[in-house]
Structure formats: C-alpha cells, structure tokens
Amino acid sequence: MTNRGRGRLPRLPLRRLPRGSRTVRRRAVSLAACGALVGTLTTGCWAEESAMPAVRDFLIAWQVGNYPAAAKKTVGTDRKAVASALGAVRAQLDAASLRLSLGVSGDQGRVDDAKVKAIAKNGDDADARFSVKIDLGENGQPWEYLGHMHLRRIGGKWKVVWNPSIINPQLGPGQRLAVVSDVPKRAAIEDGSGHSMLHEVYSYDIGVVPGRLADAQATIDQLAKVAKFGGGRRLDSERLLGRVRSAPPQKFLSLLTLRYPEQSALAQRLKQVPGLKINAIKAPSAPNSAPELVGELGPATADLLQQVGAPYQPGDTIGVSGIQLLQQRRLAGTPSISVVAQDPSGKTTQVLKSWPGAAPQPVSTTLDPTVQHKADNALKGVPYPASLVALRPNTGQVVAVSNRGTGGENRAFEAHYQPGLAFGIVSAEALFAQGGVKQNTKTSCPAGVTVGGRTFTNKAHADTSFANTFALGCRTTLAQLSSKIDARALQAEAAQFGIGRGWGVSVPAFTGSLPPLTSEGAKAAAMVGEGVQVSPLGMALVAGAARAGTWRSPYLLTDPPKAADIPAQTLPSDPVANLTTVLSRTASKGVAQAAHVTGDVAGTAATAQYTEGGKQKTVSWFVGSSGELAFAIAIEGPVSASQVAAAFLRGIPAKARSGTGSAG
C-alpha cells in the first residue's frame, strides 16, 4: 500500500482557556482528537490530554499506511520491525480497508464515558482502548474487535510500548495472521430419478505453498500470463496474489484446477512456472449427458467473477456455462472463513474469528435418463449440427435435451432457426380456428403462386383436400389460404402456441418471433415459416400443444422450483381435433411418414432453406409427438429428420413414451 502523509502528522492546536474552564477545555481537546481519526468514534473518548496526541498520531499513521511514522511513536523494539509488522496486517488478511477508532465501538458495544475511559493514565503509564474494523473484502464480512495499547512517558513524551498484541490482543510474539477458507464439496446436478448427472474425471490441481515461494508476485504474474482460457479470459493476478499472501504459509493453496486431457497442454506449460506445484486429483466434474445444458466447470477468471460475485476467488473452480454457472451459488455454497493466528512453523494456534459458510444444495432436473439416452443415441450418427428436445405436453416437463456438433452451445433451447413448413402446424390451426377451413376443404397445390408480390413454389399436385395438401407439404396451398385470415389472427394463434411469449424457464431459451406482417406477401411468407424464428424447444412446445390441446410453459428444474407459474393456454377443441388428425395423416402417409414407427405418431417434417449472414442455410425439421411425448428435431443440413425421429422413438419403451415410466 502506498504510504501517505509521511513525516510529522498534524497536531491539533491548543488554545489557553481561563482556569475555571479546565474541564471544558479537556473535553474540547478530546473531541477534536477523536474527530481526527478516520472512522466513527464513541462517546467514551475523554482522556488525559497529554497522552492523547501520541495515541491519535499512532492510530492515524497506522490507518493511512504511514507505518514508519507510526513506528516513531513506539518504544520497546526496533522501529523497522514495528513498521514491518503494522504493514503486514493488510497483506496477511488481504484486507480491502482498515479503520481505527479511539474508544469502543462496532460489535464490541458502546461504553458509557462516565464508566470507561478511552485512555486511562496512572502516573507515567497509560492504557488506551481503540476499535479495529477490517474489511476482509472477498474473504468475508468485516472483522471488528477491541484493541489495547500501553503507553509510557519517557523524557516528558508519551510513547506506545510496542507489543504484537497491539495488532490483535490474541497475537503473540513471532505469530502472524492468516485467512483460512474451507471450501465445501460441490453439490450434484441430478436427473429426474435423483442420480447425479456428473462423473469423476482426472484433473490437475495447481497451487503453491506460500511460505516456500522465493518471489510470490513473480510466480503469480507468470501464472496469470500463461493461463489463458476461451475467449481470452484471464485470471485476476492482483487478487490472486492477495490470496497467496493471506493464506497459511506452510499449507498447500490450490489456485487452479484443469481438466485432463482437455487442458493437459496448459498444465504442461504451467509446470515451467517456478514455485507452482501440480497434483493429480479425481473429481465429479464432467457431465454424463446433456453437457451443453448441464454446463462445465472451470477456473474463476476475472470476467466470471463479476457474474458470480463474492465470496468466490480467482482460480476457484466454478460453473462457467449452463446450469453449473446459473446455479453456481446453490451448487457451490459459500466457504467458511476463519482468521487465525499462526506461529512461524505454520501451525494454527488459535482461531480469532470465523464466519460460517452456506452448505451446497443439489439442483434437480426433470430429465428422464431413459429418454435422454435415446435422444443422444439418435443424434450420434448425424453429420451436421443437430438438436433434439422432448417434453411431456400435459405438464411442460422437459425430459430430454440433446445437442451434437454445436460447439458447446445449447441450440436445443437457444437457436434462432427458421421453421419452414414445420410452422404449418400453427398456420393450419389458425385456418381451422379463424379461416373457416376444414380437413376436407378442397385446395389446390400448384407449382407456383404469387401472393402480394412474393412468389412461392413447390412440386405440383392435383387438387385435393386440405388434409392431403398439408400432408404433401404444399407451400403454395398455405400461401393461397393466407388470405382467409388477417395478420392479427396469425399473430394471436402463434402466441397461443407460446411463440414470442414469456416462458419463465429457468435457463436461457429463445421463445421465438414473427416478422412484421405489414403486407399480404409478408403474411403469406410467415404462413409457410419464412422470416419466422424459433428454437427446437419452441417447436416441441408447439407439438405438445397440438397433442394436448393446451399450451403449457416448459420447466426443467424441480429444485429450486420455478419462480412463477405461466398460465396455460387452452386451444379451441374443434380446431385442435382437426389439427391432430391432419398431423397423424402427415406422419402416416405424408412428408413425415419415415417417423411412423408406432401407430400414434403425429407430426410433420420440413426443410427450411434461407439466407443468413450472406450464406445459404438449410435446417431439416421434424416436429411431432407420440403418446405423452412431444419433441422437435432440428438438423443444420440436408438430412431426413423423420428418420432421426424414428430412431429416437424406436428405442424408447412404451411406458416412457406414455409418461408412466418417467422419473421425476
């Protein structure tokens, strides 16, 4: 800390008062001396004036970091040693601030000045009481205690008789202060059956023995320089150094944990940093499934510490993505913090103050391990980035979340895809409810049609019922029928299926959006899914509403429970009945028939092709349901999503599809 106010500290000027005003003068001097100290002073600050300046100047110099000036006010030992001892307090505690007050204050309680004096004089000896308040920063709450110093008048001047107990009454000769953090074992993220979704993996535990470092700052600076993480994230070297200086000198201090084998190269580079020690450990930190949702653990870099806040420290193993990050405080709890006095050997001799931490608590999800496993297997052979979400339409309970090739992104929840004709589920319900269309309404499916200046094309088919043209995937049919409903009706129907609404889900998720429907052409385009943006989760909810007749908000966590219930949205019964029949026909005889591995499959398939960021994008969809299971599959490439759906359904036992075997 930079020393300030070096040299002689200013003394308060005394002015002579009439002899009869001696008591008043004594009180005035005492009050002024109290006011000179930074911090709140107590009413018990009355003292013999001659000892007051020495006490005052010593405390001010100590507080502002002018340790040589404070040492000049002492006797009994070498002044350089005194200055060093006072200066070491902040480093040994990694303190953010230190405040000193003459008298008794804070959690020590206030003292009536009529009974207890801040300074008590007995001839050439005096004793002073003062209050200490140390902000331990990220390590915990402020530490407050009552200090004491003895003074002696030598050659007419008062001097502080140095003793380590001035720093803390329980600190003995040769001892130092240290901060000990007891980090509890992290709790698990559990699936719907109560089993942990994490398994043990080998890791590198990297740290130091503070008392054996030749140059602590050089070691930490080099560690921070070498340790680089994704996105250029780095460790906060200044705070890391504070951890090292405040830790017990002879005890191994873990600073960083790296995963094997992913971070082996970094671990090998850190082996070259003088003073670092690397131990092999095994910890439950890798997800068994749904890694993009569960999230990863990693070192607390400077940017992540701004998110998770105190009391976590640089290098701590914290959640860096997914549920691990979102539920960091619950899963990790908070460490127990103790301030201890230690002898030179590093042995803890006494706990001076402690603050209990909070116990970790597990996070329980709704994921069904059977359905999740089948979802992962279904995507295993897909050569493009792919996502699958499955849920229970009668509850909104998400039972599977799978991503493959998405670079760690949970696109199952967060992707912004155009749905193409998969959005036809919403459009068909709007036509049934608002446009007077029936299953047997005669429709045409020409090769091309222009609506409002926009042209739509597909393979031509003979005129037939709406149920058949929908099953055939006729874009031109829906484009023509768009004239039967207005823009508000289409927007309202989309909202009934949850698109663009608040879901209240406990993890990041994209709820979808419709483009501005400012023209007939824009409305027709939206009817066939052009310009509409959805996530696979959003489309799984659409499939669930079509199956159950009611849209329900999704939920993924059962503990902690969701903060608020989002009202369910019941769809009109007749349009839903028509929609269910149409989707069953599409799955059995239409574009989604490859998914028809059981008799109750209902859904549709689509390929959305559009330009995004100047590049052509293809997303293959299956959106449908089977029994009490609704799901959506999105694949970023020309792959039959219906075949992937069949692989998914084929492996799921009937009781899991019906929900009777569902855990959670």
Side-chain angles (χ1 to χ4, degrees):
M1 179 174 180
T2 303
N3 289 341
R4 290 174 289 173
R6 290 187 180 276
R8 186 175 180 83
L9 292 168
R11 295 183 182 276
L12 295 170
L14 302 180
R15 61 185 181 91
R16 294 192 177 278
L17 297 176
R19 186 178 297 273
S21 302
R22 181 164 300 183
T23 301
V24 176
R25 178 170 67 86
R26 194 173 283 150
R27 283 182 174 268
V29 171
S30 297
L31 281 171
C34 287
L37 290 175
V38 180
T40 303
L41 303 181
T42 71
T43 56
C45 203
W46 319 121
E48 186 71 27
E49 63 193 38
S50 57
M52 182 67 73
V55 175
R56 178 199 62 191
D57 291 353
F58 175 80
L59 292 178
I60 290 176
W62 182 10
Q63 177 170 294
V64 302
N66 194 345
Y67 307 121
K72 286 181 180 179
K73 299 296 178 182
T74 66
V75 294
T77 194
D78 179 69
R79 288 178 177 176
K80 288 185 178 180
V82 172
S84 176
L86 293 174
V89 173
R90 290 178 187 259
Q92 290 172 358
L93 297 176
D94 193 17
S97 68
L98 176 135
R99 295 176 65 86
L100 304 168
S101 303
L102 185 58
V104 183
S105 63
D107 65 1
Q108 304 299 326
R110 296 188 177 277
V111 177
D112 187 348
D113 64 320
K115 297 179 180 179
V116 178
K117 293 182 178 180
I119 300 177
K121 176 175 173 268
N122 183 12
D124 287 337
D125 290 283
D127 289 280
R129 290 177 173 229
F130 60 97
S131 296
V132 182
K133 183 175 182 179
I134 303 175
D135 182 356
L136 297 179
E138 306 300 334
N139 281 315
Q141 301 174 10
W143 181 28
E144 297 183 67
Y145 58 89
L146 181 62
H148 170 269
M149 70 177 79
H150 183 70
L151 296 97
R152 184 170 299 133
R153 184 156 47 191
I154 301 173
K157 293 184 179 181
W158 288 98
K159 296 289 186 181
V160 176
V161 180
W162 176 252
N163 191 295
S165 64
I166 292 175
I167 294 174
N168 183 274
Q170 300 178 76
L171 193 66
Q175 290 185 326
R176 61 156 281 170
L177 299 172
V179 178
V180 177
S181 297
D182 184 11
V183 180
K185 182 180 178 182
R186 192 179 184 90
I189 297 173
E190 300 172 344
D191 61 25
S193 61
H195 297 125
S196 174
M197 296 186 67
L198 304 172
H199 66 276
E200 288 191 338
V201 294
Y202 284 104
S203 300
Y204 303 97
D205 186 16
I206 300 168
V208 297
V209 178
R212 299 179 187 175
L213 291 176
D215 187 336
Q217 182 158 357
T219 296
I220 297 305
D221 285 348
Q222 194 168 348
L223 165 62
K225 182 179 180 180
V226 174
K228 300 177 184 177
F229 303 96
R233 295 184 294 116
R234 290 182 175 274
L235 300 173
D236 187 327
S237 59
E238 184 177 349
R239 290 178 59 187
L240 206 58
L241 181 61
R243 284 188 66 189
V244 172
R245 287 176 171 168
S246 65
Q250 305 305 324
K251 185 179 179 181
F252 178 79
L253 175 65
S254 177
L255 298 176
L256 184 65
T257 302
L258 301 177
R259 285 265 300 274
Y260 174 88
E262 297 95 320
Q263 295 173 306
S264 295
L266 175 56
Q268 294 302 317
R269 291 196 297 273
L270 289 174
K271 278 186 177 181
Q272 310 306 314
V273 177
L276 288 185
K277 293 186 174 297
I278 301 181
N279 300 319
I281 61 171
K282 199 174 184 182
S285 58
N288 292 324
S289 57
E292 297 83 3
L293 174 67
V294 172
E296 298 287 343
L297 297 174
T301 51
D303 59 317
L304 289 173
L305 284 174
Q306 293 181 359
Q307 288 183 251
V308 301
Y312 307 109
Q313 298 284 320
D316 282 351
T317 296
I318 63 170
V320 298
S321 63
I323 295 173
Q324 293 281 26
L325 174 58
L326 296 169
Q327 296 291 329
Q328 163 63 22
R329 189 167 292 270
R330 179 184 178 91
L331 290 165
T334 56
S336 298
I337 306 296
S338 299
V339 177
V340 300
Q342 292 190 318
D343 60 22
S345 68
K347 180 181 178 182
T348 300
T349 56
Q350 189 172 3
V351 175
L352 306 182
K353 180 69 176 179
S354 62
W355 296 266
Q361 295 178 275
V363 169
S364 299
T365 73
T366 58
L367 298 180
D368 184 310
T370 299
V371 181
Q372 179 66 47
H373 178 67
K374 299 303 180 183
D376 292 339
N377 281 346
L379 299 185
K380 191 170 289 184
V382 177
Y384 302 102
S387 301
L388 187 158
V389 179
L391 52 83
R392 303 288 180 203
N394 58 339
T395 62
Q397 181 187 75
V398 178
V399 293
V401 180
S402 186
N403 295 276
R404 177 174 175 80
T406 61
E409 297 178 4
N410 184 18
R411 295 184 192 172
F413 277 34
E414 299 181 64
H416 292 50
Y417 293 140
Q418 288 194 23
L421 273 184
F423 188 74
I425 297 174
V426 177
S427 301
E429 202 277 339
L431 290 169
F432 289 143
Q434 305 286 340
V437 174
K438 306 293 183 183
Q439 292 183 54
N440 59 1
T441 296
K442 189 173 181 179
T443 56
S444 63
C445 181
V449 66
T450 299
V451 179
R454 299 186 64 162
T455 301
F456 304 89
T457 61
N458 54 226
K459 181 181 179 181
H461 293 279
D463 292 356
T464 183
S465 68
F466 175 75
N468 285 334
T469 54
F470 185 94
L472 292 169
C474 287
R475 299 173 74 249
T476 56
T477 301
L478 286 177
Q480 292 177 96
L481 293 175
S482 65
S483 62
K484 291 183 174 293
I485 57 174
D486 60 26
R488 286 188 178 181
L490 182 58
Q491 290 169 331
E493 294 301 324
Q496 281 198 111
F497 282 92
I499 294 176
R501 294 183 60 190
W503 292 350
V505 70
S506 49
V507 299
F510 176 56
T511 66
S513 65
L514 264 65
L517 306 181
T518 55
S519 67
E520 288 298 310
K523 184 179 61 174
M527 289 280 284
V528 298
E530 290 182 8
V532 178
Q533 289 194 320
V534 294
S535 62
L537 174 58
M539 292 308 292
L541 291 168
V542 167
R547 166 69 68 166
T550 300
W551 179 89
R552 291 180 174 84
S553 62
Y555 74 97
L556 177 73
L557 303 184
T558 57
D559 194 12
K562 57 184 177 181
D565 287 328
I566 305 299
Q569 184 70 45
T570 301
L571 306 177
S573 57
D574 286 346
V576 167
N578 286 326
L579 184 61
T580 300
T581 302
V582 167
L583 292 176
S584 296
R585 178 187 292 271
T586 303
S588 61
K589 299 179 180 180
V591 292
Q593 61 182 309
H596 196 261
V597 295
T598 64
D600 63 350
V601 176
T604 188
T607 300
Q609 293 182 316
Y610 53 97
T611 302
E612 182 178 82
K615 296 181 179 180
Q616 187 71 16
K617 192 175 184 71
T618 298
V619 181
S620 302
W621 285 93
F622 177 87
V623 179
S625 60
S626 174
E628 291 303 316
L629 194 67
F631 61 100
I633 299 170
I635 304 169
E636 296 182 29
V639 172
S640 172
S642 296
Q643 291 181 356
V644 176
F648 171 58
L649 292 173
R650 196 176 291 116
I652 300 176
K655 65 178 182 179
R657 286 201 304 275
S658 67
T660 57
S662 172

